[in-house]
Amino acid sequence: MSSLVILNVANGVVTGAFFVLMALGLSLILNLSGIINFAHGGFLALGGYIAFALSKYVGFLGALLLAPFLAAILGLAIEWTLIRRLYGRDPLYSLLLTFGLAFIFQDGTRYLWGAQGLPMAIPAFLAQPISDSLFFVTRYRLFNLAIVALIVALLFVLLRHTRFGIRIRAGTLDLETVAALGVNVRLLRSFNFGVGILLAGLGGVLAAGQFRLDPTMGDDYLMPSFIAIIVGGVGSLGGTVLGGLLIGIATGVTTVYLPSASEAVMYVMMAVVLLIRPRGLFGEEGMMS
Amino acid sequence: MTGANGTALSATGLHTFYGKSHILHGVSLEVAAGRITTLLGRNGAGKTTTLRSLIGLTPAREGRITIFGQETTRWPSFRVAALGVGYVPEGRRIFPNLSVEENLKVPLERSGPWSIARIYDLFPRLHERRHNRGRQLSGGEQQMLAIARALLVNPRLLMLDEPSQGLAPLVVREMFRIVEQMRSEGISVLLVEQNARMSLAIADHAYVLDDGAIVYSGPAKALAADEERVQALAGAGAGEWQADDSPLNGLSERYRNA
Ligand SMILES: Nc1ncnc2c1ncn2[C@@H]1O[C@H](COP(=O)(O)OP(=O)(O)OP(=O)(O)O)[C@@H](O)[C@H]1O
Ligand SMILES: [Mg+2]
């Protein structure tokens, strides 16, 4: 019984790590540009499929490195042509647009790669369990966690210690003043969007290696990621990371004791957190502080 | 065109709206290079709207703006600022979630004499508080930070919107001293103020704005000599300011809540 709990906590942490990647990207885009990106799950799937296509030529690890950047470039093209026109408008416009994009991504990947799930080959050394007693934990899961931890650390360094990151944090509260200080806020928003999509694309490659590819794979992460942002506190990146992991663990553990509630548990968590702390666990007035 | 006799900025016939309300009715003004030009006027006259139009935050619907010989009328504000225009907004608009040092890293790094190290020389108080959040600063410190931030763009033209607002008298004097110092650095200044007396004391040229139109333009000295007009401009607060000669290096803790 207890090893079953450990198994599900471990599973939950790994799933939570995917939520973290998704939620951080969503949060960057939401905070700086006020866009709720419903196509984020589509970008995740796209990252996975691009990696699938590339892996024949450059292997899994090569694809892991390249695919997120290709997804980000596509994201930049879409931001440049479509999304930027909606900045500063009623959020309803961007909701409709990104909702539509989500469907286009889904049908596009279905058209190109088929509706059935595709397995993504991972290197043999990653497919083994970490030990005989912990036979249910593959090295790949630890690898996933290590990559996510590394990326989160890099993102935090970017936001705290580079001018680009500092300007993003300043812009989340007062973009107008950032612009009046000479900063090209169009580029700032574009790069910020690109970083968000890069994280989603990376999540897609990692998820493809763990589960498999299918056109709707991103949908499973979208709602939990939004909830992770709300639970952690909108605008707090540390809170978003914690929120993602908590939601992952809660769903993982509930799967053991009350499988039918494993989805509902995250909504319950959100309701409880919001009742006690309406701003979320780490939400404070200063966004991204 | 930026020489001693040149013009840093010239605006003609600006009409600016907020939605349907027509705020500026054909404002024209000039800022001479290397001089302090002050724009005075009572509450709601349109001073802030004028500055916002000039920097491009609230673009004028009609009219023409030329800055350092470039027509900037339809430019987004980041391009105007990148031309060398420093902007100190009304209410300071410090980034409250960032530390003092981070606030200083937001502006575009245009090349020029100003660096964060030099800012700390000029404002030792900001150096002491560099790890504090913007929201933890006193009003005076926030105003210094707002000016410092604008200087880091290495401006050739500095536009300040009521920098003395809400500050204690000593800090106000310090602030005006710094604006004068900027002129001696060769920076052209457009100073919007409610404190008519002090602005006129340091300015070279003065404009008075009323109901979105320029109603006076002339040498600052001439306006300062017209006691009746100054009284009208300064309103109730005219006599309140008292000279205080105690020396002030940086900003005192005493004015934390100024
Ligand atoms: N965002 C806005 N929307 C609508 N009307 C506005 C807005 N901002 C200012 N106004 C109006 O425009 C007019 C000019 O305002 P502005 O802020 O330019 O005046 P001001 O001279 O700077 O005043 P103050 O000395 O109080 O700062 C006022 O009547 C004001 O009510
Ligand atoms: Mg004003």
Side-chain angles (χ1 to χ4, degrees):
Chain A
M1 190 66 198
S2 76
S3 85
L4 190 61
V5 173
I6 293 173
L7 164 68
N8 284 285
V9 169
N11 274 346
V13 171
V14 176
T15 313
F18 293 128
F19 298 161
V20 168
L21 282 183
M22 275 284 276
L24 283 174
L26 280 169
S27 188
L28 284 174
I29 295 167
L30 174 65
N31 284 318
L32 187 65
S33 301
I35 303 275
I36 297 179
N37 183 20
F38 267 102
H40 216 65
F43 280 111
L44 179 137
L46 204 71
Y49 276 102
I50 292 174
F52 179 78
L54 285 177
S55 63
K56 289 175 201 136
Y57 309 102
V58 295
F60 175 80
L61 294 178
L64 179 65
L65 218 59
L66 290 176
F69 285 98
L70 292 179
I73 288 170
L74 192 85
L76 283 177
I78 289 172
E79 194 266 354
W80 202 271
T81 49
L82 297 172
I83 291 176
R84 72 162 34 170
R85 295 165 198 276
L86 305 180
Y87 290 149
R89 296 223 194 160
D90 191 296
L92 193 61
Y93 290 98
S94 59
L95 273 180
L96 285 172
L97 174 66
T98 58
F99 214 72
L101 283 173
F103 283 114
I104 292 173
F105 285 164
Q106 239 176 59
D107 284 343
T109 41
R110 196 173 284 130
Y111 176 78
L112 287 172
W113 285 283
Q116 78 286 11
L118 292 173
M120 172 103 159
I122 56 172
F125 75 94
L126 286 176
Q128 294 156 13
I130 50 173
S131 75
D132 289 343
S133 55
L134 291 171
F135 59 91
F136 46 78
V137 183
T138 58
R139 285 189 189 160
Y140 185 73
R141 295 186 171 221
L142 285 188
F143 175 75
N144 267 356
L145 284 183
I147 299 271
V148 173
L150 176 74
I151 292 298
V152 168
L154 283 177
L155 183 68
F156 275 65
V157 169
L158 179 84
L159 289 171
R160 302 229 144 252
H161 298 293
T162 69
R163 281 186 187 255
F164 170 70
I166 290 169
R167 286 168 181 158
I168 287 178
R169 284 162 57 221
T172 58
L173 279 192
D174 189 352
L175 194 64
E176 183 179 281
T177 299
V178 174
L181 292 170
V183 175
N184 187 334
V185 292
R186 291 181 193 163
L187 281 181
L188 191 72
R189 274 177 156 164
S190 296
F191 280 119
N192 178 68
F193 191 85
V195 172
I197 301 305
L198 187 86
L199 297 179
L202 178 70
V205 188
L206 293 176
Q210 177 156 340
F211 310 107
R212 55 204 198 128
L213 287 155
D214 81 74
T216 60
M217 64 191 281
D219 295 0
D220 301 339
Y221 299 107
L222 193 63
M223 231 29 203
S225 302
F226 278 129
I227 293 174
I229 293 173
I230 295 167
V231 166
V234 176
S236 162
L237 292 187
T240 300
V241 172
L242 187 76
L245 292 177
L246 283 179
I247 301 280
I249 293 169
T251 45
V253 172
T254 319
T255 312
V256 188
Y257 294 104
L258 199 60
S260 57
S262 64
E263 186 129 341
V265 67
M266 60 187 181
Y267 296 98
V268 174
M269 259 181 82
M270 175 169 78
V272 170
V273 168
L274 289 183
L275 278 176
I276 300 167
R277 272 185 69 91
R279 284 174 171 179
L281 294 175
F282 286 93
E284 51 169 328
E285 215 174 334
M287 305 246 277
M288 291 214 178
S289 41
Chain B
M1 58 201 78
T2 61
N5 305 315
T7 305
L9 174 151
S10 102
T12 41
L14 299 185
H15 285 264
T16 303
F17 296 72
Y18 287 115
K20 282 193 176 146
S21 26
H22 193 166
I23 307 294
L24 298 188
H25 303 267
V27 169
S28 300
L29 58 81
E30 271 195 11
V31 178
R35 298 284 156 79
I36 298 178
T37 300
T38 187
L39 178 61
L40 306 171
R42 50 187 185 76
N43 286 322
K47 305 180 296 295
T48 297
T49 308
T50 302
L51 288 196
R52 288 179 62 88
S53 298
L54 294 176
I55 191 83
L57 287 173
T58 307
R61 226 175 263 180
E62 270 176 58
R64 191 185 150 99
I65 301 166
T66 307
I67 300 178
F68 302 121
Q70 300 249 25
E71 184 173 344
T72 63
T73 314
R74 303 264 168 267
W75 287 17
S77 43
F78 69 83
R79 269 188 81 193
V80 178
L83 207 53
V85 180
Y87 177 57
V88 179
E90 181 169 47
R92 300 149 198 155
R93 307 274 290 256
I94 293 306
F95 303 111
N97 52 334
L98 303 189
S99 70
V100 167
E101 187 136 320
E102 287 173 335
N103 265 276
L104 296 175
K105 286 181 174 169
V106 173
L108 173 76
E109 297 168 275
R110 254 183 109 247
S111 61
W114 291 98
S115 62
I116 292 182
R118 187 161 172 231
I119 287 291
Y120 285 152
D121 278 346
L122 182 67
F123 303 109
R125 191 79 191 122
L126 292 183
H127 183 252
E128 283 168 39
R129 309 217 65 183
R130 65 190 180 281
H131 299 305
N132 286 100
R133 292 276 172 89
R135 70 164 78 90
Q136 296 170 312
L137 301 185
S138 71
E141 289 164 347
Q142 288 192 358
Q143 193 61 62
M144 295 308 158
L145 181 54
I147 294 174
R149 215 172 49 175
L151 287 177
L152 282 166
V153 176
N154 277 298
R156 296 183 281 169
L157 166 65
L158 189 60
M159 305 202 295
L160 305 100
D161 197 343
E162 294 200 41
S164 76
Q165 193 181 35
L167 303 185
L170 272 182
V171 188
V172 170
R173 275 177 55 120
E174 166 83 355
M175 216 278 317
F176 276 99
R177 194 183 59 69
I178 285 164
V179 174
E180 268 190 296
Q181 190 182 335
M182 293 309 118
R183 173 177 52 194
S184 48
E185 298 259 345
I187 300 175
S188 318
V189 177
L190 177 56
L191 174 66
V192 160
E193 260 300 338
Q194 291 265 0
N195 191 331
R197 261 171 232 286
M198 291 209 69
S199 323
L200 289 172
I202 64 165
D204 301 291
H205 192 90
Y207 289 98
V208 177
L209 193 65
D210 199 33
D211 267 337
I214 298 285
V215 294
Y216 175 90
S217 166
K221 275 205 176 70
L223 183 56
D226 187 343
E227 188 57 32
E228 215 169 297
R229 275 195 115 121
V230 174
Q231 283 283 355
L233 271 172
E240 280 173 15
W241 183 76
Q242 296 284 319
D244 185 333
D245 289 320
S246 60
L248 183 71
N249 293 319
L251 290 165
S252 160
E253 279 287 329
R254 287 189 295 153
Y255 299 107
R256 169 178 299 274
N257 297 311

